Amino acid sequence: MFKARRIIMAALASGYCLAAQAAGPRAEVVHWWTSGGESAAVRKLSEAYTAAGGVWVDTAIAGSEQARSVAINRIVGGNPPTAAQFNTTKQFLDIIEQGLLNNVDAVALKEGWDKFLPETILNVIRIKGHYYAAPVNIHMPTWIWYSRAAFKKAGIANEPKSMDELFAALDKLRAAGLIPLAHGGQSWQENIVFTAVLANQGGKDLYLKILRDRDPAAINSEAFKKVLLSFKRLQSYVDPGAPGRNWNDATALLITGKAGVQIMGDWAKGEFSQARQVPGKDFGCIAGFGANSPYIIQGDAFVFPKTNNAEAIKAQLLLASVITQPAIQVEFSNRKGSIPIRTDVDSGKMDLCAQEGLKIMKDKSRQIGNGETFLNPDQNGSLADILTAYWNRNVAVEKVQKDIAAALRN
Amino acid sequence: MNQAGNALRSRRKRRLDPARIGIYAFLVSAALFFLLPLYIMLVTSLKPMDEIRQGNIFALPLSVTVEPWQTAWSSACTGVDCQGIRGGFWNSLAIVVPSTVLSILLGAVNGYALSFWRARGAGLLFGILMMGAFIPVQVMIYPLVQILAALHLFSSLPGIVLIHVIFGMPVMTLLFRNYYASIPEELFKAARIDGGGFFRIFVQLMLPMSTPIVIVAAIMQVTGIWNDYILGLVFAGRDNLPMTVQLNNVINTTTGVRLYNVNMAATILTSLVPLSIYLISGRWFVRGIAAGAVKG
Amino acid sequence: MRAKLRLLRRKFVPYAALAPMALIVLVGYLGTVLWSLKVSLSSSRTFPAHDFVGLTQYARLFGNERWLQSLENLALYGILFIAACLVIGFLLAVFIDQKVSGEGVLRTVFLYPYAMSFVATGLVWQWLLNPGNGIQQAVRLWGYADFQFDWIVDQDKAMYTIVIATVWQASGLVMAILLAGLRGIDEEIWKAARIDGIPTWRVYLSIVLPMLGPSVGTAFVLLFTAVVKLFDAVVAMTQGGPGIASEVPAKFIMDHLFGRANIALASAGSIMLLLTVIVLVAPLMYARSRVGSRKGSK
């Protein structure tokens, strides 16, 4: 009897071994998608990768800076992951320069990334002709959300269609005793508000001149001064408890009808759906003012640390290919609150706001990158410092212009 | 006669005179201040998110729910997996126990050597060590990564234990050195005369007298290492990630939804291990261990 | 001959015992500081660059408003935090030592903040101190309509809120250290004082406190290291705000190390921080070593 058991165990074991060997390329992926909705989204990626024959090994690390610094430390320490999440910005330029990333040219060329990826994303992943990252999604950080209940209470019948109408709406909200602008006083949130004003009031040309060209003439111009003044004016519509507040708590003010408007990225949809609120019915989303308002693009991408291991390279290429497929893109973005990196997808299953975003994306002239796609992390940080000081203190606008010119100079 | 008088006086002191009331009043008010955040955490952890969104942090839950606690332990999302924070529990134990024991041992030996034995250059080394305690941890990570990689210890359990020993050394050495500084030198000299060597005296004389400070050291190290996040994350390797990594994945997020009730429950659950150390250690906060030795 | 060997071996043992410490200090600490120094003199971004730019980073540091504000904040914070923790910790230890009933429970109540991750407790403090729905709102609802407690959103007072929250977290540990020290004091002292009729508070101030010297010294150094490394509390409570009102050097350094991908500036910051600490602490340590850290050598 024992002999039979031992034979069975041996058979099982060897079968197991065979199965393990037959299992496909193993990809250890470092990312920072850890909350409920994000987890559901990344699970779609891992399921797709497994279905394509791979083995997904998950190393989730909350906090984007933590995750990136761990990825870099592991690369330096000689124990790199197969893929690591970064943003589609200049964050990984230094790593490329050090020769520490593999490229995925094979997949990019075969699947024609040049044809369907937005220009702004191509500019950050294609360096010197090689493709160093696989983009996963596109987030738009400057949506204008509003609570329909609050608007009703303040007697605002229509969505604001311009900056002036926005200020008028904010005034009405204040008169109705509500918090006009729900805001969390953290420097990155102030940066978002600034970017929204620059895009909507300044327009695409001024935006590019300031953030892409860093043109001193544009920075010191009258038009930019007006943008800064509008930015500061928005601060007067914020409640006293705003400093330090998490963005989720600001969205909660909209959800509970205590505040009217929030300027936040499309990830805010997650909070609304958690509270079982529906776009169009409970809350509204405005991508921008005017038919040609810029659609600001930021997003996530996987980079592939350098390795000469053939199995790992196979895994990297398989991953790059899987996550950029249209069907997977929709599944991921639906749960993440983002929109796919390509417009040739079936948008039927996407929510109202995402559909609107995708529609705008199809107009290439409206695509514009986030500040971080043009500025390196240090410049972006310095700009954020100046903006947050201006938001919180009484600084002359001319001084702000001078400071920004100085910060963006190098 | 004097002793009886003393006994009477000390017994009388136990009754509630104004001084006694004052003591209790102070302690109770302090306790209330200390307990306030815990109250908020508990109350938040028992509320559904809809109530939390209303923003009344002091209010008791209208509909009590223990679901956040269950979620925190076993089904909160921490990445692709949604297994809650329990995953890293054994890893944390595997890291905490050797790290605490080794760092306390080394700290005690260092403190003892610095306090009683005049080794040349030891004072200077100690000075540099103490300066090292002021350097923010993150600044040291990059060079340490390279050192550990050179030693083939990067991303391993021995590696993270070594890291915790390194980072714990300043404080542990300081604790024991200052503690041994208050032990009279006569004791030590007597032991030397009796023929004791370095380790003999340490094991047979110093260690037994060190119980209170070992308790404090254990409290600090268990708390610090159990709650450590960044060092475990960088140096432990994927298979040894401590519980704090899962905890951070539950609590922290950049653009994700925040479930505050689950976060509070998860934090309290994680802190139960250091808390139980505090409770157990009570037995050893007793009087007169060193004093007894002096009299003898 | 054998006696000589034994003597040599005896002299050697302490050095051998201290060898791990020596190794860790020289390679781990000194090596890291020297590496930081080297990087701070370069133009490194995400990775160390091997060039030399002299003191450019330091010049940039001292022209940076955030850095200067953070130093100012740290000085203010340091004094308040250390003083408050020592006083409160001492009082708690003394009062608990009075043979109160429920000592174990009380001790745990004062120590539990230390056990909890500041990411969550810091958020709770942010909620508590928020003027909209925290303590200010609660007291107003009780009827004191003019009560104001909005320090956390005030440019000038935000640092005080960090003091409150971190004192809450650290006083328990100071209490534990001082309690351990108190428990090591000979019972005879109290008996003698009682016989002499000295009031209890006098005993504490003039006799016990000096005897607690080493324990207070330990607590002081621990608190000082916590001050210099202050980071989690600021991130959890105010993110350095409003604006840069509660910025601290450790956060400045961390932001530049990772978020801004500028390890040269971050290293310059940490070297400056270390130098400041050395300048402040070295005279103290020198004075202590002169007086002699050992008692009992009558």
Side-chain angles (χ1 to χ4, degrees):
Chain A
M1 202 190 28
F2 285 118
K3 198 156 179 220
R5 195 138 66 122
R6 237 184 298 164
I7 293 177
I8 294 174
M9 292 303 281
L12 275 172
S14 58
Y16 223 59
C17 277
L18 276 174
Q21 274 180 336
R26 180 184 179 279
E28 189 196 350
V29 184
V30 166
H31 63 84
W32 62 80
W33 292 314
T34 54
S35 80
E38 297 173 327
S39 162
V42 70
R43 213 171 304 130
K44 284 288 158 213
L45 293 183
S46 77
E47 283 167 9
Y49 185 69
T50 315
V55 173
W56 177 288
V57 175
D58 196 64
T59 303
I61 299 167
S64 57
E65 273 183 28
Q66 315 267 34
R68 291 197 298 268
S69 82
V70 165
I72 293 178
N73 278 317
R74 281 183 55 177
I75 293 175
V76 168
N79 180 20
T82 318
Q85 179 189 353
F86 275 72
N87 291 119
T88 47
T89 62
K90 293 193 167 182
Q91 279 166 3
F92 47 92
L93 206 53
D94 282 346
I95 315 181
I96 297 176
E97 274 176 26
Q98 295 279 324
L100 291 170
L101 288 185
N102 273 353
N103 67 52
V104 287
D105 293 349
V107 172
L109 294 171
K110 177 163 144 239
E111 305 193 2
W113 285 7
D114 281 350
K115 283 191 244 123
F116 59 79
L117 284 180
E119 189 72 26
T120 50
I121 292 191
L122 278 171
N123 285 341
V124 284
I125 68 171
R126 185 183 53 198
I127 309 289
K128 296 208 181 100
H130 293 289
Y131 300 79
Y132 287 102
V136 184
N137 64 358
I138 288 176
H139 271 298
M140 210 284 253
T142 55
W143 282 87
I144 301 170
W145 309 94
Y146 64 89
S147 154
R148 294 186 81 89
F151 267 29
K152 191 151 162 235
K153 183 160 175 215
I156 303 169
N158 299 315
E159 271 184 16
K161 300 252 181 335
S162 68
M163 282 300 290
D164 289 327
E165 284 185 34
L166 177 65
F167 281 118
L170 291 173
D171 285 326
K172 277 201 179 144
L173 284 160
R174 193 198 298 211
L178 298 165
I179 299 173
L181 183 65
H183 178 71
Q186 298 173 342
S187 122
W188 68 280
Q189 297 189 49
E190 270 126 40
N191 207 355
I192 283 183
V193 174
F194 166 76
T195 310
V197 179
L198 181 58
N200 282 299
Q201 180 171 330
K204 182 173 171 181
D205 286 329
L206 185 63
Y207 184 102
L208 286 173
K209 283 217 192 84
I210 306 266
L211 292 180
R212 183 191 60 188
D213 307 326
R214 294 177 278 141
D215 176 12
I219 296 176
N220 287 310
S221 70
E222 195 59 33
F224 189 57
K225 185 197 275 205
K226 290 215 182 84
V227 164
L228 287 172
L229 287 170
S230 289
F231 168 69
K232 179 70 180 173
R233 188 173 161 202
L234 280 173
Q235 199 271 337
S236 61
Y237 292 99
V238 162
D239 70 299
R245 181 188 280 147
N246 284 331
W247 71 266
N248 322 63
D249 294 345
T251 314
L253 290 172
L254 260 71
I255 293 175
T256 52
K258 295 194 180 134
V261 176
Q262 185 186 15
I263 303 177
M264 187 42 64
D266 42 21
W267 50 81
K269 277 183 295 185
E271 284 284 341
F272 285 112
S273 16
Q274 242 280 321
R276 295 172 306 282
Q277 291 202 343
V278 174
K281 196 171 84 151
D282 304 298
F283 67 94
C285 47
I286 304 171
F289 298 132
N292 287 319
S293 67
Y295 192 80
I296 301 183
I297 294 178
Q298 72 179 51
D300 304 303
F302 285 127
V303 304
F304 304 97
K306 188 153 189 62
T307 170
N308 291 322
N309 179 321
E311 273 300 301
I313 294 181
K314 231 168 58 176
Q316 290 174 341
L317 293 174
L318 181 61
L319 192 61
S321 170
V322 164
I323 63 180
T324 49
Q325 299 307 311
I328 306 299
Q329 281 285 308
V330 173
E331 295 282 332
F332 180 84
S333 282
N334 272 349
R335 286 159 184 78
K336 180 79 173 59
S338 52
I339 63 173
I341 56 173
R342 51 201 303 174
T343 50
D344 54 347
V345 296
D346 173 18
S347 64
K349 286 196 274 178
M350 291 160 55
D351 66 78
L352 269 176
C353 305
Q355 285 179 351
E356 160 115 15
L358 199 65
K359 203 172 72 189
I360 299 179
M361 273 281 293
K362 290 194 168 142
D363 177 355
K364 290 201 173 184
S365 71
R366 293 175 74 175
Q367 293 171 2
I368 210 177
N370 197 18
E372 287 178 290
T373 57
F374 302 119
L375 306 169
N376 68 38
D378 200 19
Q379 291 166 328
N380 193 47
S382 305
L383 175 63
D385 284 345
I386 300 169
L387 292 172
T388 207
Y390 182 42
W391 179 268
N392 283 291
R393 289 198 219 151
N394 286 330
V395 187
V397 64
E398 290 84 9
K399 178 170 188 306
V400 177
Q401 286 177 291
K402 267 203 316 208
D403 287 340
I404 293 181
L408 297 185
R409 193 181 2 240
N410 24 344
Chain B
M1 187 52 208
N2 230 350
Q3 281 171 331
N6 279 348
L8 259 172
R9 238 175 297 167
S10 57
R11 230 181 314 150
R12 223 187 299 151
K13 266 203 167 77
R14 296 300 166 81
R15 275 202 280 125
L16 282 171
D17 55 5
R20 205 88 191 139
I21 296 181
I23 292 174
Y24 278 105
F26 177 79
L27 286 173
V28 169
S29 338
L32 286 175
F33 167 70
F34 275 82
L35 284 173
L36 182 58
L38 182 63
Y39 166 73
I40 307 269
M41 290 180 78
L42 280 171
V43 150
T44 305
S45 73
L46 294 168
K47 284 183 191 169
M49 273 312 289
D50 291 330
E51 274 185 59
I52 296 177
R53 248 179 239 116
Q54 296 297 328
N56 301 325
I57 60 175
F58 295 103
L60 287 168
L62 289 170
S63 44
V64 177
T65 163
V66 291
E67 203 200 312
W69 292 82
Q70 294 164 329
T71 311
W73 182 249
S74 57
S75 59
C77 288
T78 57
V80 163
D81 302 315
C82 292
Q83 302 277 340
I85 57 174
R86 62 188 162 159
F89 182 78
W90 295 108
N91 288 347
S92 284
L93 267 177
I95 294 175
V96 163
V97 171
S99 305
T100 305
V101 168
L102 272 175
S103 54
I104 291 184
L105 207 59
L106 274 175
V109 169
N110 288 347
Y112 160 68
L114 285 167
S115 228
F116 294 107
W117 299 77
R118 305 273 178 266
R120 234 183 329 190
L124 180 62
L125 267 181
F126 179 63
I128 302 179
L129 185 65
M130 286 321 300
M131 290 303 116
F134 291 93
I135 305 175
V137 161
Q138 262 96 331
V139 173
M140 295 180 58
I141 284 187
Y142 192 97
L144 280 174
V145 166
Q146 297 186 297
I147 293 175
L148 276 181
L151 294 172
H152 295 289
L153 285 177
F154 183 66
S155 285
S156 70
L157 187 57
I160 182 64
V161 171
L162 176 62
I163 289 290
H164 281 306
V165 167
I166 292 178
F167 280 100
M169 187 164 278
V171 173
M172 290 295 107
T173 309
L174 176 74
L175 271 183
F176 282 96
R177 176 185 170 276
N178 279 9
Y179 185 78
Y180 290 141
S182 62
I183 291 181
E185 194 147 16
E186 284 86 41
L187 272 177
F188 175 69
K189 290 202 178 122
R192 283 297 295 276
I193 292 172
D194 280 349
F198 183 91
F199 281 108
R200 243 302 269 283
I201 300 181
F202 179 64
V203 173
Q204 291 183 344
L205 179 64
M206 295 301 163
L207 269 188
M209 284 206 292
S210 311
T211 316
I213 201 66
V214 168
I215 296 300
V216 175
I219 286 177
M220 293 189 66
Q221 284 302 82
V222 169
T223 308
I225 298 176
W226 184 264
N227 282 336
D228 159 69
Y229 165 69
I230 190 70
L231 295 174
L233 182 61
V234 174
F235 292 101
R238 194 185 174 275
D239 298 322
N240 305 312
L241 286 176
M243 201 169 167
T244 41
V245 175
Q246 268 83 32
L247 177 67
N248 186 64
N249 285 358
V250 169
I251 293 183
N252 198 1
T253 178
T254 330
T255 54
V257 166
R258 280 189 172 90
L259 295 173
Y260 289 125
N261 44 12
V262 175
N263 294 358
M264 298 294 160
T267 304
I268 297 178
L269 281 173
T270 318
S271 69
L272 286 179
V273 166
L275 272 180
S276 53
I277 300 287
Y278 301 171
L279 278 169
I280 300 173
S281 71
R283 279 216 289 135
W284 286 287
F285 264 99
V286 291
R287 207 178 260 289
I289 293 183
V294 171
K295 261 204 289 183
Chain C
M1 187 56 203
R2 234 180 325 168
K4 221 177 184 175
L5 262 171
R6 214 183 321 146
L7 200 64
L8 259 163
R9 197 175 28 169
R10 281 213 157 183
K11 283 202 99 172
F12 176 66
V13 173
Y15 288 95
L18 284 173
M21 173 168 135
L23 203 62
I24 286 177
V25 167
L26 291 174
V27 176
Y29 286 102
L30 202 55
T32 320
V33 171
L34 291 175
W35 181 87
S36 273
L37 188 60
K38 172 166 173 280
V39 170
S40 73
L41 298 172
S42 72
S43 66
S44 313
R45 289 204 306 266
T46 310
F47 295 98
H50 297 291
D51 58 352
F52 180 76
V53 296
L55 295 174
T56 320
Q57 303 292 355
Y58 292 91
R60 192 173 159 200
L61 202 60
F62 281 98
N64 187 312
E65 203 190 341
R66 254 181 86 184
W67 173 254
L68 296 171
Q69 178 71 44
S70 73
L71 289 178
E72 205 185 298
N73 286 342
L74 197 69
L76 172 71
Y77 171 81
I79 296 173
L80 289 175
F81 173 73
I82 294 180
C85 277
L86 284 177
V87 167
I88 295 181
F90 177 69
L91 287 175
L92 287 177
V94 164
F95 279 63
I96 276 198
D97 195 38
Q98 301 301 314
K99 297 193 181 54
V100 295
S101 49
E103 178 191 315
V105 173
L106 278 171
R107 212 179 38 238
T108 314
V109 165
F110 298 131
L111 259 179
Y112 90 85
Y114 186 64
M116 291 199 162
S117 154
F118 214 97
V119 177
T121 53
L123 182 65
V124 172
W125 276 106
Q126 191 202 96
W127 286 351
L128 275 171
L129 299 164
N130 187 297
N133 48 6
I135 295 181
Q136 176 180 291
Q137 184 68 355
V139 173
R140 284 193 180 176
L141 286 176
W142 280 345
Y144 301 93
D146 290 329
F147 179 70
Q148 233 183 325
F149 189 35
D150 58 355
W151 292 358
I152 199 172
V153 299
D154 186 323
Q155 290 275 331
D156 301 313
K157 303 205 186 108
M159 274 319 283
Y160 298 140
T161 61
I162 312 269
V163 173
I164 295 175
T166 47
V167 165
W168 169 83
Q169 200 209 27
S171 304
L173 186 69
V174 175
M175 173 202 75
I177 294 175
L178 295 181
L179 194 58
L182 273 177
R183 292 273 155 91
I185 289 181
D186 198 352
E187 184 89 27
E188 300 293 305
I189 306 270
W190 267 283
K191 293 210 180 118
R194 231 174 287 150
I195 291 173
D196 286 345
I198 308 175
T200 324
W201 66 270
R202 243 316 178 74
V203 179
Y204 274 106
L205 237 40
S206 320
I207 301 177
V208 172
L209 204 46
M211 288 182 76
L212 277 181
S215 300
V216 173
T218 305
F220 177 82
V221 174
L222 288 177
L223 291 172
F224 197 13
T225 60
V227 165
V228 172
K229 294 198 276 198
L230 177 65
F231 172 72
D232 285 322
V234 173
V235 169
M237 289 178 68
T238 61
Q239 293 248 321
I244 56 170
S246 56
E247 185 70 22
V248 290
K251 178 169 174 296
F252 180 91
I253 292 171
M254 233 60 86
D255 283 346
H256 283 83
L257 210 51
F258 300 129
R260 309 271 172 110
N262 190 344
I263 63 177
L265 194 63
S267 299
S270 43
I271 295 288
M272 282 315 305
L273 201 55
L274 195 60
L275 278 177
T276 314
V277 167
I278 292 178
V279 162
L280 285 173
V281 171
L284 264 165
M285 293 195 70
Y286 182 63
R288 278 191 83 202
S289 66
R290 284 284 300 275
V291 164
S293 54
R294 306 216 84 261
K295 291 172 31 263
S297 37
K298 291 189 199 101

